[in-house]
Amino acid sequence: MDQLNELIAQFASLVWGLPLVILLIGGGLYLLILSRFLPFRYLGHSLDLLRGKYDDPNAPGEINHFQALSTALSSTVGMGNIAGVAVAIAIGGPGAVFWLWISAIVGMSTKFFTNTLAVMYRGKDTEGNVQGGVMYYIVEGLGKSWKPLAVFFAVAGLVGALPVFNVNQLTQAINSILLEPQGVETGFVTNLIIGIILTIITSAVILGGLHRISRTVSKLVPAMVAVYFVAVIVILFVNFEELPGYMSMIFTDAFAAENYKGEPLFGGIVGGLMILGIRRGAFSNEAGIGTATMAHGASKTSEPVREGLVAMLGPAIDTLVVCTLTSLAILVTGVWQSSDANGVSLTAAAFKNSIPYVGDYVLLLCIAAFSISSLFSYSYYGTKCLNFLLGAKNKHYYNYFYILSILVGATTSLSMMINLIDGFFALMAIPTMISTLILAPRVMKAARIYFKKYSE
């Protein structure tokens, strides 16, 4: 098992090298410059679209803008925001947060382009149903000769969509916050029991298809973000005197080695810190990875640019709001320096320190909602990938493999799970960014037409 863990860690480090960072961040900056910040100037319009002001029930697609964003956010607003951010700070200190922010700002531009394309070039599956996603816009936008790139994305997506990291961290949270303080001895048996319970809950929702998933998460996502927001505001209020110092350190430590505990990479310590922040940012908001295109590609709209504008709000909510809240809670309480905990346990320590008696239980409630909602959405992404590869009649087989993986995630180590998903996320980013950069001029042509009509 140790050898397998080391092999997966080496695989993740290999694919998350300099070429991928250039592709994700360099590509995102290119898209930002190409658009001349055009989508950012219409954030108010994005919110109007999200509220349903321009919804057309007769437009092609399966779900409305709000349900599409909720489905996408339910997979991104998850353990990446709580455990992933904690991992970044434990290794990189306050400076890692700066690179998280950079990845989010660049990611907003990337999301606009990828999700506009997801609607612009929707394809059809073997049953004639309209489908959206990276694999479809590669084939429909670039032509059949590019299908191997689409197949590469879909194959990587089968593993990248597995829920093992979320399940692993939820299991760890239940053990450390709920069971161990009550004197319950935790281990393989308790982990397996938690895994079985999660399997039953997930099966009840995902076997009902996209409509049941979207209805469930559109209620769960706003509520869980609100509860988490209030809890962190309480923590910041209790530790208010620490806040200005750490806000300053986020910027100064982004280019310093003082609190960095990872391996130096290109450019030395700063390069390692940059990779760490961007990697955790991509894990959190999935900008450039391509998973969200499968949810937004199912949106009821005949205007591709509208879906791009709605999708662009994802990294803002996910990383600029939720990840920042987690970061500040961990920093101002000082647990990132005083605790050996990592992942979700580090965030739990921050909540327990500032909100006595109930803080860690509030976090456990949020973690449960974050993780379980993520389980619903990722199953949909995996079935879409299998649908593309083997046809619509075989897509349901993915759910059985997916449900089995919940038990694996509950009973294996954090490092193995996070490296496995990291590695396959990186592989998914390659076809996503290459195809998006090639098709970007077509998005801008459609955007100029749309914004001109909107202005008039």
Side-chain angles (χ1 to χ4, degrees):
M1 188 62 76
D2 288 341
Q3 288 178 327
L4 179 63
N5 199 359
E6 180 61 27
L7 187 66
I8 292 173
Q10 288 175 358
F11 156 69
S13 295
L14 178 67
V15 289
W16 271 104
L18 180 57
L20 184 68
V21 172
I22 292 172
L23 186 62
L24 271 176
I25 296 301
L29 285 170
Y30 165 75
L31 295 174
L32 201 61
I33 294 165
L34 181 68
S35 69
R36 297 179 184 175
F37 295 88
L38 186 65
F40 291 81
R41 302 203 297 267
Y42 289 89
L43 283 174
H45 183 47
S46 300
L47 294 171
D48 285 340
L49 291 167
L50 188 61
R51 288 197 297 265
K53 186 175 179 180
Y54 298 93
D55 281 0
D56 178 4
N58 299 315
E62 297 180 73
I63 52 179
N64 63 35
H65 291 303
F66 182 74
Q67 289 173 325
L69 183 64
S70 294
T71 303
L73 276 176
S74 69
S75 61
T76 60
V77 179
M79 293 309 297
N81 303 84
I82 296 177
V85 170
V87 168
I89 292 175
I91 298 172
V97 181
F98 175 83
W99 296 109
L100 277 171
W101 289 346
I102 295 297
S103 78
I105 294 166
V106 172
M108 288 178 71
S109 176
T110 306
K111 284 253 181 166
F112 170 75
F113 280 86
T114 55
N115 291 286
T116 298
L117 287 168
V119 176
M120 186 182 290
Y121 292 109
R122 289 197 268 212
K124 290 186 177 180
D125 62 20
T126 52
E127 292 180 347
N129 298 314
V130 174
Q131 301 286 354
V134 173
M135 56 281 203
Y136 289 99
Y137 73 65
I138 289 174
V139 174
E140 300 298 324
L142 295 176
K144 296 288 191 290
S145 61
W146 288 80
K147 190 170 182 179
L149 195 66
V151 170
F152 182 88
F153 173 86
V155 170
L158 293 177
V159 180
L162 292 177
V164 286
F165 174 72
N166 285 305
V167 171
N168 179 278
Q169 287 295 274
L170 177 56
T171 303
Q172 182 180 319
I174 292 171
N175 284 337
S176 62
I177 296 173
L178 193 62
L179 299 182
E180 290 168 5
Q182 305 303 319
V184 177
E185 187 176 340
T186 59
F188 179 80
V189 174
T190 55
N191 293 347
L192 185 62
I193 292 169
I194 293 168
I196 291 169
I197 294 169
L198 290 175
T199 298
I200 294 168
I201 294 170
T202 306
S203 302
V205 175
I206 68 173
L207 297 179
L210 177 61
H211 284 285
R212 188 181 294 176
I213 292 170
S214 63
R215 281 198 304 270
T216 304
V217 299
S218 63
K219 295 180 177 66
L220 195 56
V221 169
M224 69 186 184
V225 171
V227 171
Y228 192 68
F229 181 83
V230 170
V232 176
I233 292 300
V234 171
I235 293 173
L236 297 181
F237 181 77
V238 171
N239 299 278
F240 183 76
E241 69 282 355
E242 302 288 338
L243 189 57
Y246 279 113
M247 286 299 294
S248 175
M249 283 180 70
I250 287 172
F251 293 95
T252 56
D253 277 29
F255 305 94
E258 187 177 345
N259 294 299
Y260 182 65
K261 301 170 189 171
E263 291 293 322
L265 293 169
F266 73 96
I269 297 294
V270 174
L273 190 56
M274 187 189 303
I275 291 259
L276 173 69
I278 291 167
R279 185 168 162 179
R280 296 275 59 80
F283 186 77
S284 170
N285 59 50
E286 297 174 28
I289 307 300
T291 49
T293 62
M294 293 181 265
H296 288 287
S299 179
K300 274 183 168 294
T301 182
S302 54
E303 289 281 6
V305 173
R306 285 182 180 170
E307 199 56 38
L309 288 168
V310 171
M312 188 178 69
L313 296 171
I317 297 168
D318 174 274
T319 307
L320 295 181
V321 176
V322 183
C323 283
T324 300
L325 290 173
T326 304
S327 304
L328 293 175
I330 292 169
L331 292 172
V332 300
T333 53
V335 295
W336 68 283
Q337 290 176 308
S338 60
S339 173
D340 292 328
N342 200 350
V344 71
S345 299
L346 187 61
T347 313
F351 272 66
K352 188 173 184 178
N353 281 13
S354 294
I355 312 176
Y357 307 113
V358 297
D360 46 355
Y361 295 111
V362 171
L363 179 65
L364 181 59
L365 178 67
C366 293
I367 289 168
F370 284 158
S371 297
I372 292 170
S373 67
S374 296
L375 299 186
F376 302 154
S377 298
Y378 277 120
S379 70
Y380 172 65
Y381 297 155
T383 57
K384 291 268 279 196
C385 290
L386 195 62
N387 183 350
F388 179 80
L389 292 168
L390 300 180
K393 69 179 186 296
N394 295 310
K395 67 179 182 180
H396 66 281
Y397 289 117
Y398 183 80
N399 282 331
Y400 306 126
F401 176 60
Y402 184 89
I403 287 165
L404 182 63
S405 76
I406 294 175
L407 299 178
V408 175
T411 53
T412 44
S413 73
L414 165 63
S415 59
M416 182 184 292
M417 293 302 97
I418 200 167
N419 284 323
L420 179 71
I421 301 304
D422 264 359
F424 279 89
F425 263 32
L427 295 181
M428 292 169 74
I430 296 168
T432 300
M433 290 304 297
I434 289 172
S435 57
T436 301
L437 291 170
I438 295 170
L439 292 168
R442 302 188 205 177
V443 173
M444 284 312 302
K445 183 179 178 181
R448 282 190 287 269
I449 294 169
Y450 176 79
F451 289 125
K452 184 179 178 183
K453 282 196 298 184
Y454 172 70
S455 298
E456 291 172 351

